[in-house]
Amino acid sequence: MDNQIETALCCSDSISQTSVSISDFSDEILLNILRFIPSHDLMLNVSQVCQKLQTLCLDKSLRAHVHLHKEYTANDDAVKRLLKNFSSDIQTLNLSGCYWLAGSTVDQVSRCKAVVSLDLSGCRLTSVRLSHLLTSLRSLRSLALDVGPGFDLHQLSAEGKAALARLQELKQTLLTPSYGVVPCCSALRRLHLYLEASEGWREAGGCAQLMVGQSSVPHYQNLRWFSARLAPGEVNRTLLALYLAVFSMRVPEGLMGLVLSVPGPAPPRPVAMTALMESMASTVGNTVSALQLPRTWLDGAILGRVLAHGCPTYLNVSRCSSPGFNPLHVLLSAGRDLTPLQTLNLRGCGRGPLAESCGKGEEEMDAESIKSLTECCPHLIHLNLSATHYHHALPAGQDGHLCGALGRLTALCSLALPVCALAQSPPAPVNPQDSNTDNSSRSLLLGLKKSSRIGVPTYRTATEVTAGQGEEQQNRGLCIQPLLQGCPHLVELELIGAGFSSAMPRNEPAIRKDPAACPWSYNVGDSELAALGGMKFLRKLTLAHLPGVLKGTGLIKLVQGCKDLSSLSLANLGSLKTMNYTHALLEALSYCTQLRDLRLEQPYFNANAAFFEALGQCHQLQRVCFVSRHGTFQPAAVASFMQTCADVIMCHMFMGGTLVACKTLQKTLLDSFSITRPALSVVIYPLLHEDLANVIRGMPLCHLDEITLFKSRVAEEPIKQ
């Protein structure tokens, strides 16, 4: 051991005596490093450092693929210069979510004559502007765009329509009932639809216009992939039905991917769906690569027919279980090789309603089948088991615990679990003496007797407890250890209490009453949070509906261990009558040096000067969202925080306060920082205001979908190929 230490010291001495500069790296190493730098930074900054870097920045491998998604510092001038200098070499251009770019900047895309793949989702695009771009981009084969009110397909030139006819892939976000450019895309092989029309279009009869004439009927004959993701609302369900009606005229042969995500009630299952699924399953040599259907459309016969020809890589059966149909059982009993499966969403799928009264209609996880699944699907990368209950009933030893089975999935990168899955023991039984107390005598003391607090001891370090207590604390979180050891590459974790519902739904008034928590989840608290600090590579963490958190001290240990955490979402931790983990949160934020996105939802949250001062230590922060019934904020503290954190480009606050106070602060922030932060999005509005739904519709969709609205995101999308 002494020899090893001596050798290591000698090596460190030799390194310190050697001066190594960036010019000593080979071109190959430097090019690999430069690939992680945004294209506009390469051109404007890196290329100015020295002659060698200037030469390397001209390498075509750095200029062929330009991605500006989430590059919030890329202003109009920088993007225009980039497109001018790189235009001849760009083959892939991604401007998705660049909602701040002016239309004149988007016009410069026409310089990129060699571009093959173009993503303009979220950009300002009119029919005339699109026609001009398509006329210039003759090599285009993949296109993503938004279709908004006023879009007119007839304004496209003949050259533009010819360019659309050559497209093989189209991603279309519909902000209004429309077929968009699909009628011109006769060679499509992949079609991705995002239906975001508001309910106002239903009142205006927008969908009725699409039923007139056959000239707008989309072309599906060459399709290999069809996906549609809907925002809530009847108009979007009607729009989906119109798109699917085309399948009744002609079923495409060789369809390999069918992904339909429909929140809430699904439209009636189309008559053509049976024929479509039959075609997908029966085509010779065709294996379905991705499948998701609305809950009322999928049954054992359809799923079994698909699995008979092979296992997909993406399977989403979220909330599809019903009496007589367990998707997991069908999957395991299909008798097929399940090793191709990489993404599986079993959210809300269990073996039936829970026997205990945790919540109406809530499902109990089929733990034995999950354990069989981990043996049959060793290559799972993304797994969602949320919206169910798992109650480990075995004694102190953790043999057979769910986390032990999940620990076999060594390739797992993202995981969603119910909070109660980490409970080491059942909830404390109710005292029989209390339950037999005479109701009349108990009513006399109603409101005077202090209610018992169900929870777990606050996490304490080893120096704060005795030897016997220290051993007990070490046993806390024991069940999660196999998961920590077996899944070293886990980068995303969601712990969401079964039955949790955010106070800010999308198209409805804010929820004024919180759902009851699972009794088992009260036994998951600060000690369990501290144990999560063992996930050294964790980057995204969601904690929602953990009533067992007392003072939040486990958060400190967690973020100290997860040093690369870039996205953190906390919702309803501990008591909902007061925010009792404020002090621990302020200390935890000081360790979040890599944090970029923060979402905090908690009743009675006080966004005061102390909080924003602590938040100001997160120097990498870009987006923040606060949701709080009866919450308060200090305008001066918010403005000071925005001044300190110059990279913050999104500040969404839905709390208490008057409408005047909210609008005044919003205007102050926009007036102060819009010039220096072109991507700035500030929305401050009372959470319980009746017009909140209208305000939400005006937000950039990228922020709304990625952070502002709460939802489980694990295994929601197929792996991009």
Side-chain angles (χ1 to χ4, degrees):
M1 185 66 180
D2 293 337
N3 291 336
Q4 293 177 0
I5 295 176
E6 184 178 352
T7 303
L9 291 174
C10 291
C11 291
S12 63
D13 290 341
S14 62
I15 291 175
S16 63
Q17 295 173 4
T18 305
S19 177
V20 179
S21 68
I22 195 170
S23 60
D24 295 316
F25 290 107
S26 67
D27 289 354
E28 183 180 3
I29 293 177
L30 287 174
L31 284 174
N32 280 318
I33 295 174
L34 294 177
R35 287 191 180 96
F36 292 92
I37 299 177
S39 302
H40 67 287
D41 274 345
L42 287 176
M43 180 192 68
L44 297 178
N45 301 318
V46 178
S47 62
Q48 309 300 317
V49 173
C50 63
Q51 183 63 42
K52 182 171 185 176
L53 287 179
Q54 185 178 31
T55 303
L56 289 175
C57 287
L58 298 175
D59 191 275
K60 288 189 176 183
S61 66
L62 299 178
R63 302 157 67 98
H65 307 287
V66 176
H67 298 272
L68 295 180
H69 177 61
K70 290 190 177 181
E71 298 299 337
Y72 304 117
T73 59
N75 57 28
D76 285 298
D77 291 338
V79 175
K80 286 180 180 178
R81 290 180 57 187
L82 173 69
L83 295 177
K84 179 180 179 180
N85 295 338
F86 285 22
S87 60
S88 59
D89 297 319
I90 296 178
Q91 299 177 14
T92 301
L93 179 58
N94 185 350
L95 297 177
S96 64
C98 294
Y99 53 87
W100 61 90
L101 293 181
S104 58
T105 303
V106 178
D107 287 336
Q108 300 302 309
V109 174
S110 60
R111 294 173 174 268
C112 309
K113 308 294 184 182
V115 71
V116 176
S117 177
L118 175 62
D119 193 337
L120 296 175
S121 303
C123 295
R124 302 171 186 175
L125 198 62
T126 63
S127 307
V128 175
R129 181 167 290 126
L130 176 63
S131 179
H132 175 65
L133 292 178
L134 292 173
T135 302
S136 305
L137 308 178
R138 300 181 181 275
S139 300
L140 193 64
R141 294 297 179 269
S142 176
L143 175 65
L145 77 163
D146 291 358
V147 175
F151 181 86
D152 187 0
L153 192 62
H154 299 294
Q155 292 183 346
L156 299 185
S157 64
E159 294 84 356
K161 293 180 179 179
L164 290 173
R166 294 189 292 267
L167 287 182
Q168 297 183 0
E169 181 176 20
L170 175 66
K171 173 187 170 186
Q172 198 170 237
T173 301
L174 298 169
L175 307 175
T176 179
S178 171
Y179 285 129
V181 299
V182 172
C184 296
C185 304
S186 55
L188 278 183
R189 297 177 67 86
R190 298 175 67 90
L191 176 59
H192 312 264
L193 298 174
Y194 294 81
L195 309 185
E196 297 283 345
S198 66
E199 285 298 279
W201 290 105
R202 181 178 63 170
E203 300 172 2
C207 288
Q209 302 173 11
L210 304 183
M211 302 178 187
V212 181
Q214 295 298 314
S215 60
S216 295
V217 172
H219 297 280
Y220 292 160
Q221 58 265 30
N222 298 313
L223 273 189
R224 296 295 179 268
W225 180 284
F226 181 89
S227 67
R229 296 200 170 274
L230 280 64
E234 183 62 32
V235 64
N236 289 313
R237 291 192 288 271
T238 302
L239 190 54
L240 173 64
L242 291 173
Y243 271 90
L244 294 177
V246 184
F247 285 125
S248 62
M249 300 179 220
R250 181 171 181 178
V251 176
E253 298 179 0
L255 191 66
M256 299 176 62
L258 181 62
V259 177
L260 305 177
S261 177
V262 183
R269 185 164 69 179
V271 178
M273 186 55 58
T274 302
L276 177 62
M277 300 306 300
E278 188 70 39
S279 174
M280 291 179 67
S282 61
T283 304
V284 178
N286 182 50
T287 299
V288 177
S289 61
L291 179 65
Q292 179 183 3
L293 294 177
R295 66 177 76 177
T296 58
W297 294 14
L298 188 65
D299 54 32
I302 290 179
L303 182 57
R305 191 177 296 121
V306 171
L307 294 173
H309 293 265
C311 179
T313 58
Y314 171 82
L315 180 61
N316 190 329
V317 290
S318 173
R319 298 193 181 277
C320 285
S321 59
S322 60
F325 172 50
N326 186 318
L328 187 53
H329 286 177
V330 176
L331 179 66
L332 294 174
S333 62
R336 307 298 300 182
D337 176 20
L338 301 183
T339 55
L341 190 60
Q342 296 181 349
T343 303
L344 177 62
N345 193 323
L346 292 171
R347 184 172 182 270
C349 287
R351 59 186 179 189
L354 197 65
E356 303 145 76
S357 57
C358 289
K360 183 178 180 180
E362 294 180 4
E363 294 279 331
E364 181 181 10
M365 188 184 301
D366 192 347
E368 292 303 318
S369 295
I370 295 295
K371 293 166 187 175
S372 300
L373 178 74
T374 60
E375 298 173 355
C376 300
C377 306
H379 304 308
L380 271 177
I381 300 175
H382 311 286
L383 178 61
N384 194 325
L385 300 174
S386 63
T388 57
H389 292 267
Y390 174 76
H391 300 162
H392 184 63
L394 294 181
Q398 294 302 321
D399 293 338
H401 193 278
L402 175 67
C403 289
L406 295 176
R408 302 173 191 156
L409 302 174
T410 57
L412 202 62
C413 289
S414 62
L415 174 66
L417 288 174
V419 172
C420 54
L422 299 188
Q424 297 248 103
S425 59
V430 178
N431 191 332
Q433 184 176 356
D434 292 342
S435 62
N436 294 329
T437 303
D438 182 73
N439 289 335
S440 60
S441 62
R442 195 167 35 180
S443 64
L444 295 175
L445 300 176
L446 189 63
L448 301 178
K449 184 179 179 181
K450 185 176 181 180
S451 59
S452 59
R453 178 69 168 92
I454 302 175
V456 297
T458 303
Y459 172 80
R460 291 176 293 172
T461 60
T463 58
E464 296 175 312
V465 294
T466 63
Q469 291 173 321
E471 182 178 354
E472 180 182 353
Q473 290 291 339
Q474 290 176 1
N475 288 333
R476 301 304 304 255
L478 177 65
C479 64
I480 202 175
Q481 292 304 321
L483 180 64
L484 301 180
Q485 297 166 5
C487 303
H489 306 297
L490 203 63
V491 297
E492 182 175 9
L493 176 66
E494 294 180 350
L495 286 180
I496 304 176
F500 172 74
S501 181
S502 173
M504 197 178 94
R506 177 145 192 191
N507 288 339
E508 298 142 4
I511 297 175
R512 297 172 181 263
K513 185 178 180 181
D514 296 296
C518 170
W520 285 66
S521 64
Y522 283 91
N523 286 348
V524 179
D526 289 300
S527 297
E528 285 71 20
L529 293 186
L532 296 179
M535 297 181 175
K536 302 302 181 183
F537 298 101
L538 200 64
R539 292 181 177 273
K540 296 182 178 180
L541 176 63
T542 297
L543 301 173
H545 213 194
L546 278 76
V549 173
L550 294 185
K551 295 188 177 180
T553 47
L555 277 175
I556 302 172
K557 190 72 173 179
L558 190 157
V559 298
Q560 285 177 334
C562 304
K563 298 182 183 299
D564 293 329
L565 202 62
S566 62
S567 177
L568 178 62
S569 177
L570 305 176
N572 289 13
L573 304 190
S575 171
L576 301 183
K577 297 180 180 180
T578 179
M579 187 168 172
N580 52 10
Y581 65 97
T582 301
H583 180 74
L585 176 62
L586 300 189
E587 184 175 348
L589 289 173
S590 65
Y591 298 101
C592 298
T593 57
Q594 302 301 313
L595 194 64
R596 292 177 179 268
D597 294 340
L598 173 65
R599 186 186 191 276
L600 179 59
E601 178 173 342
Q602 189 78 28
Y604 300 99
F605 167 53
N606 183 11
N608 56 19
F611 170 77
F612 281 110
E613 182 179 353
L615 190 61
Q617 299 177 72
C618 306
H619 299 295
Q620 303 292 325
L621 205 58
Q622 294 181 329
R623 300 189 292 184
V624 293
C625 177
F626 306 121
V627 179
S628 179
R629 287 200 317 274
H630 313 299
T632 59
F633 61 86
Q634 296 180 0
V638 181
S640 177
F641 158 73
M642 292 291 287
Q643 183 71 44
T644 301
C645 292
D647 290 336
V648 173
I649 55 86
M650 190 202 96
C651 180
H652 291 178
M653 297 174 58
F654 307 96
M655 306 175 70
T658 65
L659 181 60
V660 172
C662 291
K663 286 190 172 182
T664 300
L665 177 57
Q666 177 177 311
K667 184 177 185 302
T668 299
L669 297 181
L670 289 173
D671 291 345
S672 301
F673 304 109
S674 290
I675 296 178
T676 56
R677 307 178 200 183
L680 185 64
S681 171
V682 177
V683 181
I684 302 175
Y685 212 77
L687 176 64
L688 301 181
H689 197 281
E690 59 184 4
D691 291 333
L692 178 62
N694 296 328
V695 174
I696 290 176
R697 293 190 192 103
M699 299 180 191
L701 282 177
C702 56
H703 298 322
L704 188 66
D705 186 64
E706 293 172 2
I707 180 171
T708 303
L709 295 178
F710 183 95
K711 65 178 181 179
S712 178
R713 293 176 172 83
V714 171
E716 279 295 300
E717 296 277 356
I719 299 176
K720 294 183 179 180
Q721 300 176 349

